[in-house]
Amino acid sequence: MSRQHQQIHLAAHFPGVNNTTVWTDPRSRSQIDFDSFEHLARTAERGLFDFFFLAEGLRLREHNGRIHDLDVVGRPESITVLNALAAVTERLGLAATVNATFNEPYELARRLASLDHLSGGRAAWNVVTSSDAFTGENFRRGGFLDRADRYTRAAEFVATARELWDSWTPDGTSRPFAHTGGHFTIDGEFGVERSPQGHPVVIQAGDSDEGREFAASAADIIFTRHGSPAAGRAFYADVKRRLARYGRAPEELKIMPGVTLVLGDTAADAQEKAAEIRLQQVSPQTALLTLEQIWGVDLSGYDPDGPLPDIDPDPDSQLTQGRVRHGDPLAVAAKWRALSEEKGLSIRQTVIEANGRQSFIGTPAAVAAQMTEFVAADAADGFILVPHLTPGGLDDFVDRVVPLLQERGVFRTAYSGTTLRDHLGLPYPGERG
Amino acid sequence: MAVPTGTLHLAAAIDGDGQYQAPYYVELARLAEEGTLDFITVDDTFGPPGPGRGRLDALAVLARVAPATGRIGLVPTVTTTHTEPFHVSSAVATLDWVSRGRAGWRVEVSATEAEARLVGRRPAAPAGELWAEAGEVADVVARLWDSWEDDAEIRDAATGRFIDRDKLHYVDFEGAHFSVRGPAIVPRPPQGHPVVAVAATDPVTWQTAARHADVVYLRATSLEEAGRIRDELRRRAVAHGREPGALTVLAAVAVDLADGEGAPGTAPAVNSPVALIDTPGGPPLYRGGPAGLAELITGWHTADAVDGFHITPVAPRHDLERFVNGTVALLQHRGLFRTFYPGAALRDHLGLSRPASRYALEREAAR
Ligand SMILES: Cc1cc2nc3c(=O)[nH]c(=O)nc-3n(C[C@H](O)[C@H](O)[C@H](O)COP(=O)(O)O)c2cc1C
């Protein structure tokens, strides 16, 4: 197979509870009504996508001791939505983000096996590891898990779930299981027959060294933030290199960055739309709040259209809760100040500039070419597309870009199998003896 | 405690141990919906239903059924002993969202040592203790449903605010076994409160049932016994400050319509007296024809012993079909049961109003 024809995998991410999602647009619909989920899932299936993806957060985000109110807030529980979507789709994979800290293997393995049965082999689980005490306040055990242990628990959780899934033979015989480990000591019988995929597909979304190692040892897909060609290539090489240690081949782990895109009739039209969307994503209030998340202090007295604050960030601030914090605040603040001074940008303009552009901007032909090139250059195996509008944000992509990817021979023209493992070309797990 | 004889309510179990294919459940659900039943149930246990046996997660099954049906209520069993109250609240609220207001849940506990070992977090405990905890779970689950006021989402572009955060509330629940901070991550479900059911077939459940349930199933082999139990449950509900009519009391009956009365649709004479067979471990069994079952239902309901029946077809495909096309058709013909759904939500079928959020009421009162 020539490098130009490396196949692309595609997934549809339901718009999240962050400012990528534009809710002020008149086309924006409910983030909670089933209609919205059905629309996006049907669009993804029409586009022959590999899977549909739902994120999760187990506590509403807070800022300065109050519930964050500037972005979309509130969403339904993933696995239940996906079971319902299994009724209105036939081939599309169905991926739920579910936390490994505030769940237990028996119950979750059972729920995922049930989804796999009810969807005819289309279930996937994005294993996330948030373990903070803030989120723990909603659960029986509170913030019981040390951050350093988040991946040892996740790894043992996934291994245990697979032991449970393997406890039924393919011909329908249940055998007792017993697991003894640092995090779980359980035994008995698993109450769900082996499901069509044997093991639902496992996705990992975390970027630390431990996260990458866990993915190399146990995941089928990595959902990553490295959506630029350069960062993508480095990440791809790093993670694929780790696979040999676990006796795995490079094709057994798919790298799929989360990406955004803007289509236009001309390159200039697309750029113009992209700028407009960035302005919608960063309202004056969001600009100040984004700055507060880095500075860690109240900046409500500042003018979003004025210059950046000259005070220094508080690196130990607890101002923001329930959100993953990126990078060293002092370094980020220095970078943003430099950016603002160099280009003469206000607070809002700086935030827009620093938050970066959409991953793919251009005509359908240009976007199809960029995506093909991205994958051919070993920067990814495919993409998790994050639309900015609910629920119609991928309509154009499916209508205008998918046919071009198909023409290029880099994307399927029909589903060739029925399960998500089939779509991804992943092996079926061998049964344990 | 006179509550006038009201609408007859009918519900049916569509269980299928060892059934893993969605079409099995969809077919039964549609059949029940053709019979305009109030709701269908899928039972569940935390562990396997028996050695070497399996079943699907009940809430998952009914979420799969939801888009394939339009009106019928969907009530899965959800256990409270080895699960997280916060997750239970989210899952049932989500079932309400995907079914557009047709969800309920039947509260159940996990009392066995075998189930405790599947999770390994706590030892098995006596049923009384577990039912007290189940009451706390039902309580916090409903508080979480209330933790978003109905109009919390404002989408106010002028101020950049998606929600009015004054209309989101911490529940700060402190129970004997757990605490939950809140608010919910799922906005208030369409029904406000999805329906809460308890199988009050054992007195150990009665306190929790009387306090938290909207629907209870009782176990009785005569209408006199049924009436006595209903009175007792209502008395306890009143003691908790509820209206006696707040409880919809259904008699649980297993039905075997295999070889009685010939073809459905005709109205044959019922020549043997209608009796229920006491079966240990399960609901009392009715064995006979669809017309005889209609007699039994009519008799108990007009004597005002129960508000209706929850039936468990012994052979689901066959018995549910005869129940709907025989028994229900007769009850409809006699004007005792609805022939269409006047409402869209399960609470509508049950004649329950949509409750306001307790936090909205508190905020109103404080103004
Ligand atoms: C692309 C991406 C998506 C994520 N999505 C979620 C999510 O939906 N819910 C969640 O709780 N955590 C999510 N996380 C957080 C990770 O699960 C993980 O907790 C976090 O990245 C910290 O782990 P790390 O130190 O390995 O990066 C996501 C992370 C990444 C990189």
Side-chain angles (χ1 to χ4, degrees):
Chain A
M1 217 200 296
S2 86
R3 306 293 291 158
Q4 277 71 27
H5 285 71
Q6 200 148 319
Q7 293 298 302
I8 297 180
H9 296 283
L10 291 176
H13 188 301
F14 192 84
V17 293
N18 50 51
N19 73 310
T20 301
T21 307
V22 171
W23 55 263
T24 45
D25 191 289
R27 291 165 294 177
S28 162
R29 296 274 175 276
S30 172
Q31 83 290 356
I32 184 75
D33 283 345
F34 185 63
D35 289 344
S36 292
F37 294 89
E38 184 171 350
H39 180 108
L40 187 61
R42 284 187 190 272
T43 304
E45 188 161 80
R46 183 158 55 82
L48 306 173
F49 280 33
D50 294 79
F51 60 94
F52 175 89
F53 182 94
L54 291 175
E56 176 196 72
L58 294 174
R59 177 136 181 211
L60 298 185
R61 289 167 177 170
E62 287 185 11
H63 184 78
N64 211 357
R66 302 196 64 194
I67 290 165
H68 175 57
D69 59 359
L70 301 181
D71 297 324
V72 164
V73 185
R75 50 189 161 186
E77 184 265 311
S78 302
I79 296 178
T80 303
V81 171
L82 296 181
N83 276 304
L85 287 176
V88 296
T89 54
E90 285 173 6
R91 298 292 180 91
L92 184 68
L94 302 167
T97 299
V98 189
N99 185 289
T101 304
F102 301 110
N103 282 284
E104 295 292 332
Y106 187 91
E107 189 195 7
L108 185 56
R110 184 169 184 270
R111 297 189 71 206
L112 290 165
S114 296
L115 174 63
D116 205 44
H117 277 291
L118 290 165
S119 63
R122 300 189 277 141
W125 169 29
N126 178 31
V127 184
V128 295
T129 55
S130 323
S131 56
D132 51 284
F134 173 76
T135 304
E137 285 181 350
N138 282 334
F139 299 98
R140 288 178 183 267
R141 299 178 77 194
F144 71 95
L145 190 68
D146 201 70
R147 187 175 145 78
D149 293 330
R150 70 197 187 287
Y151 281 113
T152 59
R153 180 175 163 109
E156 191 181 331
F157 198 127
V158 172
T160 307
R162 287 176 172 156
E163 288 164 27
L164 297 174
W165 292 327
D166 283 339
S167 70
W168 284 71
T169 63
D171 63 7
T173 308
S174 159
R175 298 165 300 185
F177 70 86
H179 174 98
T180 307
H183 295 277
F184 311 106
T185 297
I186 60 177
D187 66 64
E189 274 190 56
F190 186 56
V192 187
E193 194 174 291
R194 193 172 178 83
S195 70
Q197 294 190 103
H199 299 170
V201 168
V202 167
I203 305 171
Q204 188 273 350
D207 200 29
S208 59
D209 189 62
E210 303 104 290
R212 295 178 186 204
E213 205 59 33
F214 163 57
S217 72
D220 302 304
I221 299 172
I222 297 186
F223 176 18
T224 161
R225 292 189 213 280
H226 298 292
S228 73
R233 265 195 305 277
F235 180 77
Y236 192 95
D238 176 74
V239 178
K240 297 262 177 172
R241 179 182 52 74
R242 296 172 192 247
L243 288 167
R245 201 173 312 162
Y246 303 98
R248 304 179 71 202
E251 322 67 87
E252 289 179 50
L253 178 62
K254 308 294 181 198
I255 313 295
M256 298 181 71
V259 297
T260 51
L261 57 105
V262 184
L263 299 175
D265 293 333
T266 63
D269 175 39
Q271 289 295 346
E272 200 176 303
K273 276 193 194 161
E276 222 169 89
I277 293 166
R278 289 201 295 273
L279 208 59
Q280 287 179 307
Q281 288 169 329
V282 183
S283 66
Q285 295 88 346
T286 295
L288 274 187
L289 182 122
T290 307
L291 222 59
E292 288 183 349
Q293 283 168 0
I294 293 159
W295 261 254
V297 292
D298 182 358
L299 301 174
S300 55
Y302 286 78
D303 177 3
D305 296 320
L308 263 63
D310 41 22
I311 52 169
D312 275 332
D314 168 8
D316 303 318
S317 165
Q318 296 291 310
L319 196 70
T320 295
Q321 296 270 27
R323 195 188 280 270
V324 182
R325 223 172 165 195
H326 305 288
D328 163 32
L330 286 166
V332 177
K335 210 169 95 188
W336 285 25
R337 270 198 197 117
L339 183 69
S340 159
E341 274 158 33
E342 184 199 324
K343 301 195 176 176
L345 302 177
S346 70
I347 288 177
R348 190 178 181 200
Q349 289 165 329
T350 305
V351 171
I352 289 172
E353 192 69 17
N355 269 355
R357 291 159 188 269
Q358 292 89 345
S359 322
F360 298 101
I361 304 172
T363 61
V367 168
Q370 288 169 40
M371 286 187 151
T372 306
E373 173 55 27
F374 200 110
V375 169
D378 279 346
D381 294 307
F383 305 97
I384 296 181
L385 304 181
V386 187
H388 75 281
L389 284 181
T390 311
L394 291 180
D395 294 358
D396 271 356
F397 178 85
V398 165
D399 293 334
R400 303 176 71 188
V401 181
V402 166
L404 301 178
L405 294 173
Q406 291 169 327
E407 258 170 45
R408 288 174 167 268
V410 296
F411 191 63
R412 67 175 67 86
T413 52
Y415 286 113
S416 57
T418 58
T419 70
L420 178 54
R421 280 186 183 276
D422 293 341
H423 307 338
L424 293 164
L426 293 171
Y428 283 76
E431 198 219 328
R432 259 171 239 202
Chain B
M1 250 180 270
V3 178
T5 308
T7 316
L8 174 64
H9 298 286
L10 296 175
I14 60 160
D15 297 302
D17 282 6
Q19 290 287 350
Y20 291 96
Q21 305 283 328
Y24 171 87
Y25 299 99
V26 169
E27 193 187 308
L28 292 173
R30 288 184 169 155
L31 186 55
E33 190 166 68
E34 280 167 32
T36 60
L37 303 193
D38 291 66
F39 60 92
I40 48 177
T41 62
V42 173
D43 199 6
D44 211 351
T45 44
F46 193 80
R53 290 164 57 206
R55 61 155 53 126
L56 293 169
D57 178 71
L59 193 138
V61 168
L62 290 176
R64 173 64 183 76
V65 162
T69 52
R71 281 289 188 266
I72 195 157
L74 307 168
V75 183
T77 297
V78 181
T79 62
T80 58
T81 308
H82 300 298
T83 52
E84 287 286 352
F86 192 82
H87 291 323
V88 170
S89 173
S90 301
V92 178
T94 301
L95 182 62
D96 207 42
W97 278 108
V98 302
S99 66
R100 301 181 173 93
R102 296 184 284 135
W105 64 300
R106 179 166 87 72
V107 184
E108 189 50 274
V109 304
S110 309
T112 67
E113 177 63 28
E115 285 167 312
R117 297 175 69 96
L118 299 174
V119 191
R121 294 278 163 240
R122 58 198 288 204
E129 200 178 300
L130 297 180
W131 273 102
E133 184 190 19
E136 289 188 348
V137 174
D139 188 0
V140 77
V141 161
R143 286 173 191 273
L144 287 164
W145 292 335
D146 281 349
S147 68
W148 286 59
E149 296 184 27
D150 289 314
D151 53 357
E153 183 182 317
I154 51 169
R155 293 190 181 230
D156 184 36
T159 58
R161 293 176 309 143
F162 183 80
I163 49 160
D164 176 353
R165 55 190 168 193
D166 292 340
K167 294 182 174 176
L168 263 57
H169 303 272
Y170 297 102
V171 303
D172 283 327
F173 185 89
E174 297 280 343
H177 294 90
F178 59 86
S179 60
V180 176
R181 176 94 166 109
I185 50 174
V186 186
R188 194 155 196 261
Q191 293 185 103
H193 292 178
V195 168
V196 178
V198 172
T201 48
D202 182 320
V204 74
T205 66
W206 285 3
Q207 223 30 25
T208 295
R211 185 155 179 190
H212 298 286
D214 303 302
V215 175
V216 295
Y217 319 150
L218 56 75
R219 186 195 156 77
T221 50
S222 71
L223 71 85
E224 293 78 14
E225 187 188 8
R228 271 199 305 278
I229 297 172
R230 186 173 71 161
D231 285 347
E232 173 62 20
L233 287 166
R234 283 184 170 171
R235 193 185 60 73
R236 294 188 190 210
V238 169
H240 288 297
R242 304 179 72 195
E243 295 289 325
L247 284 185
T248 298
V249 181
L250 309 181
V253 180
V255 306
D256 175 357
L257 304 175
D259 41 30
E261 297 166 25
T266 59
V270 180
N271 35 36
S272 53
V274 180
L276 291 178
I277 305 160
D278 198 4
T279 51
L285 174 68
Y286 169 86
R287 185 178 281 142
L293 183 54
E295 288 306 318
L296 177 95
I297 291 172
T298 305
W300 286 35
H301 188 249
T302 49
D304 197 21
V306 290
D307 303 304
F309 286 78
H310 174 264
I311 67 132
T312 302
V314 172
R317 280 199 174 107
H318 175 84
D319 292 323
L320 187 62
E321 194 275 329
R322 295 203 78 190
F323 179 73
V324 166
N325 292 322
T327 307
V328 172
L330 267 172
L331 294 168
Q332 289 171 329
H333 182 71
R334 292 179 192 162
L336 291 173
F337 192 60
R338 70 171 78 84
T339 54
F340 67 98
Y341 290 105
L346 174 55
R347 294 189 78 87
D348 296 336
H349 309 337
L350 292 166
L352 298 169
S353 59
R354 187 179 187 280
S357 158
R358 77 197 67 195
Y359 302 103
L361 294 175
E362 279 172 18
R363 217 165 49 82
E364 280 300 309
R367 269 158 51 144

